[in-house]
Amino acid sequence: MRVSRITIILLLVVMTAGIASYVMQRRLVDSEPESQTYIPKAPTITPELQLLQQYVRIDTTNPPGNETAGARFLGALLAKNGVPFEIIESAPGRGNLYARIKGKTAGGGLLLMHHIDVMPAPPKGWSRPPFAAEILANQLYGRGTLDMKGIGICELAAFIDVARSGRTPEHDLVLLGVADEERGGALGTEWLLAHRPDVFEGVRYAINEGGITEMQSEQLTYFGIELGSKMAVEVEVSGATRAQVQQARIALEPFIAPREPERILPQVKEFFRDIAPQRVTQRDVLADVDRTVAEGKFWLLPQGYRELTQNVVWPEKVVANGDRWTMNVYLFNLPDEQPAARVEWLRKTIAPYGVKVDKVKRSMGPAPITSRNTPFYALLTRQIQSQYGNVPLGSELLAASFNDSRFLRARGIDCYGFWPFPVDFFQTQGIHANDERVRTDWFAQGVRMTRSLVAAYAFGRG
């Protein structure tokens, strides 16, 4: 009996130790991805990183925005370096920062663009306060470090380099920090195009957010340059009864995730071919999407990739609204679709159920996909590979998000979205969420690459 008790006690001890070991191991496994690096390096504190810390500490949460405070910060740095600038307010407190260095030749200008506003960041759940810009394990934490004040500081440093060189660039160089991107751009880029078209005069190319850097074991495995995105239209529909609107919603359900492609644009095929070597399980179906469709294997594509070939509909819940029942419907359209035609399609689809379109709340597009057959794209790829080695490089198209580049593409400006610094998967999870952060050494690489790219374009090198 004594032996049995001892055995039981020993078993309990072993089990307890095993459970404790498992819990500790799980915590370690969970914490390692969160820290993005298993052995954090000493932080790389550069003057540009310190500027990013100061910029992040300016709370430009939208709403309400308060971008003028951020624009003044950028303007003070330009003034310190003898560069004229203008703060253009679309509304009180909604400032846009604009500066231009005139070039030798009219036209062919390069726009360095970023948005000053950031998404809301309730402090609960953050490892460090979202506007403290503190460094932990070689990472700078804070709202806007990635989206997109970090890119803004890279662009500012490159712009100031050209200004301080004393040399006249070949073409105009424009620095633009805009308001209101996170809420649609009505008080930022869209407003400037309508009220201050001179800001964009002579601009041929623009760099902005939107790209991707895929990584494995801290090594870049694919560098994607964003060339375009789906366009969104938000519509409110209504009917006299809940049943009517619910029937209309059921009629739209087949278009939430269509079974077949509607149209496969040439640029989408090109993107699939670019990314195919990086997708082990979908390599063959992506490499030749026409054959994939012909063989009835379209369903094997990931959902996000399928949506790049489809006009997708997303109806929300039916709600009571006074004496009627209403429903918001989102149309996620292919880039070249006319939004009015898509709204008319919706009107005809729901009309048999006694449901009508009340109003179009927001309308985007059409916006062409930017060409990769341009001198600037060739220069950009050379500069990326000069900084990061012979990394696989190609295009990136956005199926579920969009940015201010859509406004410029619609007006003939070729826009290229990319991260100048590496950003891994775990960092991307902080965008619009908790623990947004950038690695300090990777950020320093991005500053160097942006400086080199802009100098090469400005002075005809690279």
Side-chain angles (χ1 to χ4, degrees), residues 444-457:
Q445 288 180 306
V447 172
R448 288 195 297 272
M449 203 212 83
T450 310
R451 281 178 153 150
S452 178
L453 169 68
V454 173
Y457 189 76

Side-chain angles (χ1 to χ4, degrees), residues 25-340:
Q25 183 64 25
R26 282 308 321 161
R27 287 178 178 173
L28 178 61
V29 170
D30 291 342
S31 67
E32 284 178 346
E34 288 299 317
S35 70
Q36 305 172 57
T37 177
Y38 301 138
I39 305 176
K41 301 176 182 178
T44 305
I45 308 299
T46 63
E48 294 77 25
L49 187 74
Q50 292 174 322
L51 290 180
L52 178 55
Q53 287 180 295
Q54 295 172 42
Y55 197 11
V56 168
R57 288 167 185 156
I58 302 170
D59 186 348
T60 53
T61 299
N62 186 12
N66 192 32
E67 295 94 344
T68 296
R72 286 173 179 159
F73 167 76
L74 299 172
L77 295 172
L78 292 171
K80 183 178 178 181
N81 288 277
V83 184
F85 68 93
E86 185 178 358
I87 295 177
I88 306 168
E89 285 196 327
S90 55
R94 310 308 299 272
N96 301 269
L97 184 283
Y98 166 58
R100 181 184 291 257
I101 301 171
K102 295 292 293 182
K104 296 177 183 177
T105 306
L110 174 62
L111 171 64
L112 313 178
M113 180 179 187
H114 83 283
H115 61 82
I116 300 172
D117 63 320
V118 299
M119 287 292 288
K124 184 179 180 180
W126 282 72
S127 299
R128 290 293 184 271
F131 297 102
E134 295 180 5
I135 296 174
L136 171 66
N138 190 33
Q139 299 164 99
L140 174 60
Y141 283 71
R143 178 61 86 225
T145 49
L146 297 180
D147 186 21
M148 63 175 294
K149 291 179 176 180
I151 295 176
I153 292 297
C154 291
E155 294 175 346
L156 175 75
F159 186 84
I160 289 175
D161 278 356
V162 174
R164 294 181 62 182
S165 72
R167 302 170 60 189
T168 301
E170 296 297 319
H171 305 279
D172 286 9
L173 190 63
V174 178
L175 181 70
L176 185 63
V178 299
D180 201 38
E181 190 276 344
E182 297 290 8
R183 303 286 287 185
L187 296 176
T189 303
E190 187 175 25
W191 188 93
L192 289 169
L193 284 164
H195 298 88
R196 288 292 304 271
D198 58 297
V199 168
F200 306 94
E201 185 177 352
V203 171
R204 177 71 179 85
Y205 304 112
I207 58 176
N208 193 18
E209 64 182 346
I212 189 171
T213 55
E214 296 187 356
M215 307 189 71
Q216 186 173 5
S217 300
E218 300 192 15
Q219 298 298 314
L220 282 164
T221 58
Y222 183 75
F223 201 113
I225 300 171
E226 187 256 313
L227 304 178
S229 65
K230 299 282 288 289
M231 296 286 104
V233 178
E234 181 183 0
V235 181
E236 182 183 281
V237 305
S238 73
T241 68
R242 185 182 187 280
Q244 286 178 318
V245 184
Q246 188 63 32
Q247 286 178 325
R249 190 185 192 284
I250 293 171
L252 293 173
E253 286 181 356
F255 305 100
I256 294 175
R259 296 178 61 87
E260 298 297 333
E262 188 158 341
R263 287 186 295 118
I264 307 179
L265 301 175
Q267 300 93 331
V268 172
K269 294 180 185 180
E270 196 169 46
F271 168 53
F272 288 169
R273 288 194 296 269
D274 287 344
I275 203 71
Q278 315 306 320
R279 300 292 181 265
V280 176
T281 57
Q282 295 99 20
R283 182 176 299 161
D284 293 339
V285 295
L286 286 167
D288 189 345
V289 70
D290 288 329
R291 184 183 66 188
T292 297
V293 173
E295 294 177 351
K297 296 179 179 178
F298 179 71
W299 62 275
L300 291 174
L301 292 174
Q303 178 67 26
Y305 292 166
R306 295 201 302 271
E307 290 182 1
L308 288 172
T309 72
Q310 302 165 326
N311 290 315
V312 177
V313 178
W314 185 256
E316 291 191 331
K317 291 181 179 180
V318 180
V319 296
N321 191 350
D323 60 348
R324 295 183 67 78
W325 292 82
T326 63
M327 175 177 66
N328 265 14
V329 179
Y330 292 88
L331 306 172
F332 295 101
N333 303 326
L334 295 173
D336 58 352
E337 290 282 355
Q338 293 292 335

